[in-house]
Each structure stands twice: as C-alpha cells, then as structure tokens.
C-alpha cells in the first residue's frame, strides 16, 4: 500500500513538473516573439504561473516521494543501480539549476515585464536578458533532461550507456536551441514584417 501510494505521488509529481516545464517553454518562446509590452507581460506572467504553480510543486513532490521510495526500498544499495543513480543525479542537477540560474533569470524577466507595462515600452534590459546564453541553455536543457530521467526510470538499464548517450543528446539539443531558436524567431519576425494586407 505504501509503495503504491508513493509511486502514485511520484507519477503525479512527474506529470506536474513536466507539464509545467512545457508551459514555461511555450510562454518563454511567446515572450521572445512579443512585439508589444502587453503580450510580453502576459507571457512573462505565464512563465511565473507555470513555474510556481506546476514545475516547483511537481519537483518537490518528486523529491519527497522519490527520496522515500529509495530510502524504504533500496537503501544504500541504490548505488548499485546505474539507472537509479542516473535519475537521482540528473534530478538533483535539474532541481538546483532550475531554482538558481533559470528561476533567477525568469524572475528578472518578470520584473522587466512589469516595468515595460508601466512605461509602455520595452526596457533595454529585456533584450539583454533574453540574449544571455547561460540562462537560455539551462532553460532549454530542462525538458530533454526530464525525458532522459523518464527513460531511465522506464527502461532501468544496468549499464551507464543510456545515461551517457541521453545526457549528451540533451546537451546537444539545448545547445542547438540556444543558438538556433533566436535566429528562427528573427526570421519569423522578418517574414511577418514583409507581409502586407490590402
């Protein structure tokens, strides 16, 4: 009964965190596309709602339920299972990074959105914040790493191969998005500017 309850809470945590990260990702892209302060402020507000309302509670639920599952059913022998060590390592990295680098960047973005609404125009800091590579990279790393964590939990490999390959692929995806997405968004803006309606 205890195992089933903890597993259910763990799954709920995973769904909450993953859906929150997906919402944050979409809202962040929208904030980068925004060409007026109202749309930008709404997108920044959605980032905060998804992060605080889904991602953080889901991560805390995962941390508590996962810690109890490991403590009650594996103990110190969890170190003998590469899939479990990999899940814990990636989750702790995500938890620390998400609540430092990424969260701080989004908090600053939200402050700039409020300033933009008050003045009626974008602040110079908004552009600078969205051009910073490290917060963008860590943000784009969130979803791929969560998929690696889920893969490890489902497949439970007894070697480190999938952990290493999955992590490298996640880093590659995040790096590609960090440099490619701003270019794609710029191209989209150029095409929209070129379209005229009669």
């Amino acid at each position: 009964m205890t195992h089933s309850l903890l597993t259910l809470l763990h799954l709920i945590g995973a769904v909450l965190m993953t859906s929150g990260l997906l919402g944050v990702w979409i809202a962040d892209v929208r904030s980068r596309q925004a060409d007026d302060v109202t749309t930008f402020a709404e997108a920044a507000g959605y980032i905060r709602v998804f992060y605080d309302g889904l991602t953080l509670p889901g991560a805390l639920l995962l941390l508590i339920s996962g810690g109890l599952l490991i403590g009650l059913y594996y103990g110190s022998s969890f170190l003998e299972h590469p899939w479990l060590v990999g899940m814990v390592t990636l989750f702790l990295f995500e938890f620390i990074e998400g609540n430092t680098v990424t969260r701080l960047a989004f908090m600053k973005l939200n402050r700039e959105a409020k300033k933009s609404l008050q003045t009626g125009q974008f602040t110079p800091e908004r552009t600078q914040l969205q051009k910073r590579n490290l917060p963008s990279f860590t943000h784009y790393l969130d979803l791929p790493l969560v998929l690696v964590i889920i893969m490890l939990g489902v497949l439970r490999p007894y070697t480190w191969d999938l952990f290493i390959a999955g992590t490298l692929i996640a880093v590659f995806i995040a790096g590609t998005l960090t440099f490619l997405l701003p270019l794609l968004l710029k191209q989209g803006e150029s095409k929209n500017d070129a379209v005229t309606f009669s």
Side-chain angles (χ1 to χ4, degrees):
M1 180 65 176
T2 305
H3 185 271
S4 298
L5 179 61
L6 287 173
T7 302
L8 175 63
L9 291 174
H10 204 63
L11 289 172
I12 291 170
V15 170
L16 287 174
M17 187 178 79
T18 306
S19 57
L21 288 173
L22 187 58
V24 168
W25 199 91
I26 292 168
D28 175 62
V29 171
R30 185 66 185 123
S31 76
R32 292 170 188 269
Q33 289 176 320
D35 54 3
D36 65 271
V37 292
T38 305
T39 305
F40 169 59
E42 283 178 0
Y46 284 131
I47 290 172
R48 183 175 46 81
V49 168
F50 282 120
Y51 226 108
D52 294 344
L54 291 174
T55 304
L56 185 58
L60 290 173
L61 194 54
L62 279 171
L63 181 66
I64 294 165
S65 60
L68 288 171
L69 282 167
I70 290 170
L72 291 173
Y73 299 101
Y74 288 94
S76 61
S77 69
F78 94 94
L79 294 169
E80 299 167 12
H81 304 278
W83 64 271
L84 192 51
V85 175
M87 287 179 75
V88 170
T89 302
L90 292 177
F91 176 80
L92 289 176
F93 170 79
E94 275 292 292
F95 191 82
I96 293 165
E97 166 271 309
N99 286 292
T100 53
V101 179
T102 307
R103 186 178 179 83
L104 290 174
F106 284 140
M107 286 171 66
K108 289 177 184 174
L109 193 69
N110 201 46
R111 281 197 296 271
E112 295 309 314
K114 288 177 182 175
K115 287 181 190 174
S116 296
L117 269 181
Q118 289 170 353
T119 61
Q121 57 188 5
F122 292 119
T123 64
E125 289 82 5
R126 177 247 188 177
T127 307
Q128 292 305 314
L129 278 171
Q130 291 185 322
K131 282 184 178 177
R132 290 174 59 200
N133 286 332
L134 181 60
S136 296
F137 175 77
T138 57
H139 164 54
Y140 296 138
L141 189 59
D142 288 340
L143 276 173
L145 278 188
V146 166
L147 292 176
V148 175
I149 292 169
I150 292 169
M151 175 195 68
L152 291 173
V154 171
L155 298 180
R156 299 186 175 195
Y158 276 89
T159 66
W160 290 99
D161 296 349
L162 281 179
F163 170 80
I164 294 167
T167 303
L168 290 175
I169 291 168
V171 168
F172 174 76
I173 291 170
T176 302
L177 285 172
T178 300
F179 294 103
L180 194 60
L181 195 60
L183 297 174
L184 292 173
L185 292 175
K186 249 183 212 175
Q187 281 182 346
E189 286 172 12
S190 302
K191 285 178 184 175
N192 287 340
D193 291 341
V195 175
T196 56
F197 297 95
S198 53

